[in-house]
Amino acid sequence: MDSCRVPANTSKCSGSTMECFMVLSTQAQKISIGILCGLFGTMCVFENSLVLYLIFSSPGIRKKPSYLFIGSLALADILASIIFVCSFVNFHVFNEAGFSKEVFLLQLGGVNTSFSASLSSLLLTALDRYISISRPSQYKLLMTRKRAWTALAVLWVTCATIACLPLLGWNCCVLDSSCSELFPFVDDNYLSGWICFVVVLLGCIVYAYAHVLRRARQHVAYMEKHQAQAGKQNTRMRMDVMLAKTLVMVLAVLTLCWSPVLVLMIYSIFNRLSERLRKAFAFCSTLCLLNSMVNPIIYALRSKELFSSLRRVLSHFRRQLKAPEESPEAESTHKSSVIET
């Protein structure tokens, strides 16, 4: 494998070097990656598509900025799953390297855009919860649908621009610079910048949630003191506290799933990676899909509005299944069978 060490400069920036990044050497490893990607990817697309349907099929839910941000998170996870699974399995399992540098960087840009948008959507959701809890009387004035859509537009444009920089020229082939050990054609400086971007997003999310949890604890103490007096206001506070706890669960899952990948990325910038670590990175990358798959499950279990919408959809589906059995033809057939008996 020494002849296939990762290139450190553009002298090996050709398509043939992509084979050096195909680190899965045994059939068992390829089958394992294929099964994990297929399972996580399929479940992620199904669950997040269901979340989008529940949000936008319910007029009361889709008007709330909170669920617009959650819808953006679900959309980002769907796109990330589709692009990631197709490109990752095609590259590592089927060892397909017969595409150009531009095509590979375009695929990588799509994955980075989706995952970055997922993190950014979670940040907007955290800020939305903070405003809702810290300034409940001014929330509707501060967080309008127009501002929510504007924030989402800025979010997606920013993430797409940052993710497409390697395709636009910031890569080790064009700049004649040091290449990443984990991604073909990617400049180490760009990878460092993208990691910093992700770490800043995570730091802002943690900072926002620290304030959300502090306010949530204050609300819990308030509810215990004024249980008989608050009435409707207590109900709203319970909803805010529950949603805040839900999003903290999402953040915890996000951190657990992304930490191994980020740690290996950071380590690769300062040290050479062994063959075992590069294989570990390939398997750890599937944890990002696991994160996208778990998020909708948390929403269904913790969000009463989404859960109620899901129950309405299921009950409507059951009524449609029972309709043919209760049709006039079925009823007449039943009556005739009874008469014959």
Side-chain angles (χ1 to χ4, degrees):
M1 294 299 294
D2 291 338
S3 61
C4 206
R5 292 295 290 177
V6 179
N9 50 53
T10 57
S11 63
K12 294 184 179 180
C13 235
S14 62
S16 60
T17 57
M18 295 187 69
E19 297 177 358
C20 300
F21 293 86
M22 299 174 182
V23 295
L24 304 182
S25 55
T26 66
Q27 196 67 20
Q29 293 173 353
K30 294 179 181 180
I31 293 175
S32 300
I33 284 288
I35 292 176
L36 290 175
C37 289
L39 177 62
F40 293 164
T42 302
M43 292 298 297
C44 178
V45 171
F46 172 75
E47 293 172 359
N48 284 285
S49 297
L50 180 60
V51 169
L52 284 178
Y53 175 77
L54 294 177
I55 291 175
F56 290 99
S57 64
S58 177
I61 294 179
R62 69 168 177 259
K63 291 180 181 179
K64 298 182 179 181
S66 302
Y67 289 100
L68 290 179
F69 299 145
I70 292 177
S72 174
L73 177 61
L75 176 61
D77 287 336
I78 290 174
L79 294 177
S81 300
I82 295 174
I83 301 173
F84 177 84
V85 169
C86 292
S87 58
F88 195 80
V89 171
N90 190 44
F91 186 80
H92 284 289
V93 176
F94 297 107
N95 298 136
E96 179 60 46
F99 42 82
S100 63
K101 175 190 71 176
E102 289 74 18
V103 172
F104 176 83
L105 292 178
L106 180 61
Q107 293 176 351
L108 183 63
V111 174
N112 287 347
T113 298
S114 303
F115 281 129
S116 299
S118 179
L119 280 174
S120 302
S121 298
L122 192 58
L123 174 60
L124 289 181
T125 310
L127 295 176
D128 173 78
R129 286 299 88 202
Y130 173 72
I131 296 173
S132 176
I133 290 180
S134 62
R135 300 183 181 181
S137 59
Q138 303 175 354
Y139 174 76
K140 290 186 177 180
L141 295 176
L142 295 174
M143 188 58 67
T144 61
R145 281 175 54 84
K146 182 178 180 180
R147 290 182 177 178
W149 282 111
T150 301
L152 289 175
V154 173
L155 177 159
W156 281 90
V157 170
T158 302
C159 292
T161 302
I162 293 175
C164 290
L165 288 177
L167 182 62
L168 298 176
W170 191 354
N171 58 73
C172 58
C173 299
V174 173
L175 300 177
D176 192 22
S177 56
S178 177
C179 295
S180 169
E181 290 191 62
L182 295 173
F183 306 100
F185 314 122
V186 173
D187 179 66
D188 261 341
N189 292 326
Y190 170 79
L191 183 60
S192 301
W194 188 82
I195 293 173
C196 290
F197 173 65
V198 171
V199 171
V200 168
L201 286 178
L202 289 174
C204 292
I205 294 172
V206 172
Y207 180 80
Y209 276 124
H211 289 278
V212 168
L213 290 178
R214 181 174 59 87
R215 298 293 298 184
R217 285 196 295 268
Q218 293 176 354
H219 282 177
V220 170
Y222 178 85
M223 286 187 289
E224 292 176 351
K225 287 184 179 180
H226 304 83
Q227 188 70 29
Q229 304 174 4
K232 185 177 179 180
Q233 188 176 5
N234 261 349
T235 303
R236 176 188 175 123
M237 287 182 179
R238 285 194 190 95
M239 292 176 61
D240 287 341
V241 171
M242 177 170 285
L243 190 50
K245 291 180 180 179
T246 300
L247 297 175
V248 169
M249 291 173 62
V250 174
L251 177 61
V253 173
L254 179 80
T255 304
L256 291 175
C257 291
W258 274 84
S259 294
V261 173
L262 290 176
V263 168
L264 287 175
M265 284 184 182
I266 295 173
Y267 184 81
S268 70
I269 295 174
F270 301 100
N271 299 279
R272 299 284 290 182
L273 292 178
S274 65
E275 186 75 12
R276 181 175 299 179
L277 286 178
R278 294 173 65 200
K279 288 181 180 180
F281 179 79
F283 279 92
C284 289
S285 298
T286 60
L287 291 176
C288 302
L289 282 178
L290 177 62
N291 168 71
S292 299
M293 185 187 74
V294 170
N295 283 344
I297 298 176
I298 298 177
Y299 302 149
L301 293 177
R302 302 288 297 181
S303 174
K304 289 185 177 181
E305 291 176 295
L306 281 180
F307 187 72
S308 298
S309 180
L310 178 60
R311 290 180 63 183
R312 286 195 299 269
V313 170
L314 293 178
S315 62
H316 177 70
F317 181 70
R318 283 197 297 266
R319 285 196 301 268
Q320 286 186 330
L321 290 178
K322 291 181 180 180
E325 299 177 1
E326 300 174 355
S327 62
E329 294 79 3
E331 185 176 354
S332 62
T333 303
H334 175 71
K335 286 182 178 179
S336 61
S337 64
V338 171
I339 292 173
E340 291 175 359
T341 303

